[in-house]
Every structure is written in structure tokens, then in C-alpha cells.
Amino acid sequence: QVHLEESGGGSVQAGGSLRLSCVVSGYGDDRGLMAWFRQVPGKEREGVAGIYMIGGASFYGKSAAARFTISRDEVKNILYLQMNNLKPEDTAMYYCALNPPPFGDTWSIPHEYDYWGQGTQVTVSS
């Protein structure tokens, strides 16, 4: 059974940094597309960043460009999201997700992902 578990969220002041982690267990394939999404109440889930498990090609949403970095530890099977220069508008619940192949055309479509974690809350105060 595939299980994703996020950690690393918390409360920080604007300009601060956080690193989110997502431990993946039970997934027996080297191929996949992993991503971080975020959601605030009343809004759609937004793609923050994605990365292919093979090759490591990464993608970023407009909100994350130049401030966030997605990476993955292949040995430990942990997905990371380094978030720098956080802003109050980054406040959201952050989720990691896994999309087994075949892949769609766009990494940031939530319904393309089969597996999700429970989420970790990030709160940024001004």
C-alpha cells in the first residue's frame, strides 16, 4: 500500500524559510511524477512544484518560481520542498502527491495524481 507522509510545516515570519519533507513508502516502481500542491479553504488545489523520479526534471508554478526548490532523495525515497523568502500568501496546507505512469501533458493537474499525503500546514505571518 502506497503511503505518503508530509512533515516540516509550521509558522514563520515573512522572509523566513521552511523545508517540507514527504516520505514515500510502499511504491514499488522507479518511475513516477511527484509534486507539491497547496490549498487554502475555498480555493482550488494549486500545483507548487513537480519532479520526475527518473531524470529529475522539475517544474514550478508561478508562485514558487525563484523562491522554492523541489528535490528528491532517491535512496531514502523522500521528496523535499525548500521554501525561501516566504510570504503571507504562501500560507496554505501543503500536500505531496505521486502520479504513476502514464503521465498527462501537465504536471500541475491534481486529478492526475493517484496518491496523496495528509498535508502539512504552512503559516506565514507578516
Side-chain angles (χ1 to χ4, degrees):
Q1 183 175 358
V2 179
H3 183 71
L4 280 63
E5 185 167 352
E6 304 95 335
S7 63
S11 297
V12 296
Q13 291 190 328
S17 298
L18 284 173
R19 188 176 79 157
L20 305 184
S21 300
C22 173
V23 178
V24 181
S25 59
Y27 184 66
D29 195 331
D30 291 339
R31 302 166 299 164
L33 171 61
M34 296 204 68
W36 288 97
F37 288 81
R38 68 186 185 186
Q39 190 169 25
V40 296
K43 293 190 176 182
E44 294 185 354
R45 198 162 288 193
E46 174 193 4
V48 177
I51 186 169
Y52 281 105
M53 294 171 66
I54 294 182
S58 58
F59 311 91
Y60 294 90
K62 291 180 180 179
S63 62
R67 297 187 298 127
F68 296 177
T69 303
I70 190 170
S71 62
R72 180 174 167 267
D73 185 322
E74 296 182 1
V75 175
K76 297 181 179 178
N77 211 0
I78 300 175
L79 181 71
Y80 297 103
L81 183 68
Q82 177 67 43
M83 304 187 294
N84 298 327
N85 190 22
L86 283 160
K87 303 176 181 180
E89 51 264 42
D90 294 318
T91 296
M93 184 72 79
Y94 284 71
Y95 300 90
C96 69
L98 173 61
N99 176 15
F103 308 121
D105 294 333
T106 306
W107 67 271
S108 59
I109 306 299
H111 70 246
E112 296 279 347
Y113 291 78
D114 291 344
Y115 305 105
W116 292 83
Q118 293 296 315
T120 186
Q121 177 67 37
V122 171
T123 302
V124 184
S125 58
S126 57

